[in-house]
């Protein structure tokens, strides 16, 4: 069955790959991007099946207007893929106020504004699926990505809460948690802090710790995402890639062991 799917950050990376695959399946796509010219090839190939709209997700009023246009144009919004975001590379100490705020404005608040904008339409339909593109770095952390980690941890908490709030309206929520993939996320799409030399050795060790096999092929995510959208009972969380799950499992085992070791202290802190 054809669905109307709104994808933010659709001009490159996962967003564009998924948009093209969904269009090929016959779905109608509302593709938003800061620069809609990057969507011209999809418009030429799929015509009225795709609606390109310019959008800065940090502008809440523009988000509300854009989602209203999308709903008016196609008559409904069945799926939202909140994909817009970027990575800020640098140590926590290096990060300026402006860099920290912009990372959260795009990755967290932008996602929040789009989510809030689609909810009234999905509630009216009594159906919908909100797919939040998070990261395995919303489940564990890596050094020199502190603000990115924080933004994705925030997305995880927000979305898990949202899932419990909208379930009664027939709305599903899924957190997609990719590990590293060979997109331009760490390249042209990334931002860098001003370096403090004291962190150079840490950054070098971090860079040298990955191999080509650490990064998945973006095109390989198409089938899981298509299946997710077709599912009538989608999961709350879905890790993408073979690297993420073993690390998540190890990290959570360590956390549970630490909580178990200190559970008597925790109980005493309750006071009664």
């Amino acid at each position: 069955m054809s669905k109307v799917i709104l994808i933010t950050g659709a001009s490159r990376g996962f967003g564009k790959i998924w948009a093209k695959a969904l269009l090929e399946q016959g779905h109608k796509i509302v593709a938003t991007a800061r620069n809609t010219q990057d969507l011209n090839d999809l418009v030429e190939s799929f015509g009225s099946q795709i609606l390109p709209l310019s959008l800065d997700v940090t502008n809440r009023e523009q988000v509300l207007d854009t989602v209203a246009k999308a709903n008016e144009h196609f008559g409904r919004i069945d799926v939202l893929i909140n994909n817009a975001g970027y990575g800020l590379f640098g140590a926590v100490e290096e990060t300026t106020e402006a860099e920290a705020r912009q990372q959260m404005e795009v990755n967290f608040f932008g996602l929040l504004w789009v989510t809030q904008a689609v909810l009234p339409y999905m509630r009216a339909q009594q159906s919908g699926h909100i797919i939040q593109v998070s990261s395995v770095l919303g489940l564990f952390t890596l050094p020199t990505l502190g603000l990115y980690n924080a933004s994705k941890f925030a997305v995880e908490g927000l979305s898990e809460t949202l899932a419990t709030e909208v379930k009664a309206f027939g709305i599903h929520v899924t957190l997609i948690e990719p590990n590293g993939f060979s997109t331009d996320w760490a390249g042209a799409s990334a931002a860098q802090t001003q370096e403090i030399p004291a962190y150079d050795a840490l950054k070098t060790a971090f860079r040298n710790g990955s191999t080509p096999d650490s990064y998945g092929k973006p095109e390989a995510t198409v089938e899981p995402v298509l299946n997710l959208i077709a599912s009538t009972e989608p999961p709350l969380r879905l890790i993408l890639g073979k690297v993420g799950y073993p690390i998540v499992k190890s990290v959570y085992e360590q956390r549970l062991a630490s909580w178990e070791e200190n559970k008597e202290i925790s109980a005493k802190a309750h006071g009664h």
Side-chain angles (χ1 to χ4, degrees):
M1 182 183 296
S2 174
K3 295 182 178 180
V4 176
I5 302 169
L6 192 161
I7 307 176
T8 66
S11 62
R12 61 176 67 185
F14 284 141
K16 191 160 191 180
I17 290 168
W18 297 341
K20 185 173 185 291
L22 288 161
L23 287 163
E24 288 171 345
Q25 274 210 333
H27 297 291
K28 297 180 176 66
I29 302 296
V30 180
T32 78
R34 284 177 176 267
N35 184 2
T36 57
Q37 289 184 348
D38 293 331
L39 297 164
N40 285 349
D41 56 332
L42 295 183
V43 174
E44 289 173 7
S45 298
F46 296 97
S48 61
Q49 195 181 335
I50 178 172
L51 174 66
L53 294 174
S54 178
L55 177 63
D56 173 0
V57 295
T58 67
N59 184 329
R60 192 169 187 270
E61 289 304 314
Q62 189 182 72
V63 168
L64 293 169
D65 289 344
T66 300
V67 171
K69 287 177 185 176
N71 185 76
E72 182 179 0
H73 185 84
F74 283 123
R76 61 187 297 114
I77 299 172
D78 298 301
V79 180
L80 164 65
I81 303 179
N82 252 324
N83 173 67
Y86 73 99
L88 173 63
F89 286 75
V92 171
E93 184 183 354
E94 294 172 340
T95 308
T96 67
E97 178 181 352
E99 288 168 338
R101 290 186 182 280
Q102 184 63 14
Q103 180 77 121
M104 297 303 292
E105 284 288 345
V106 175
N107 289 10
F108 176 71
F109 285 107
L111 175 142
L112 172 59
W113 304 149
V114 183
T115 299
Q116 288 182 329
V118 302
L119 281 170
Y121 302 107
M122 290 185 173
R123 279 194 295 104
Q125 296 165 184
Q126 290 289 290
S127 67
H129 189 183
I130 295 173
I131 299 174
Q132 315 283 46
V133 180
S134 179
S135 168
V136 292
L137 298 186
L139 301 171
F140 62 85
T141 66
L142 287 176
T144 72
L145 280 161
L147 269 296
Y148 180 80
N149 296 332
S151 72
K152 294 303 185 179
F153 267 70
V155 166
E156 292 276 331
L158 174 79
S159 302
E160 185 175 299
T161 304
L162 178 69
T164 64
E165 294 175 346
V166 300
K167 184 178 180 181
F169 306 131
I171 301 171
H172 297 283
V173 177
T174 298
L175 284 151
I176 290 181
E177 298 153 336
N179 54 222
F181 279 82
S182 299
T183 64
D184 65 354
W185 174 81
S189 295
Q192 301 278 344
T193 60
Q194 184 68 39
E195 295 185 351
I196 296 174
Y199 294 101
D200 287 352
L202 173 67
K203 292 176 183 178
T204 299
F206 174 56
R207 286 194 295 267
N208 292 343
S210 62
T211 67
D213 193 50
S214 301
Y215 298 93
K217 297 178 180 179
E219 295 77 14
T221 64
V222 167
E223 184 177 347
V225 170
L226 294 179
N227 290 339
L228 177 66
I229 288 172
S231 174
T232 56
E233 292 295 332
L236 174 60
R237 287 184 167 86
L238 179 64
I239 294 174
L240 295 183
K242 69 179 184 181
V243 175
Y245 174 74
I247 300 176
V248 171
K249 185 173 185 289
S250 175
V251 167
Y252 273 75
E253 285 173 346
Q254 292 173 39
R255 290 178 184 175
L256 286 168
S258 178
W259 288 322
E260 179 71 20
E261 182 180 348
N262 293 285
K263 66 181 181 181
E264 292 184 7
I265 296 172
S266 301
K268 287 180 180 178
H270 193 67
H272 62 85

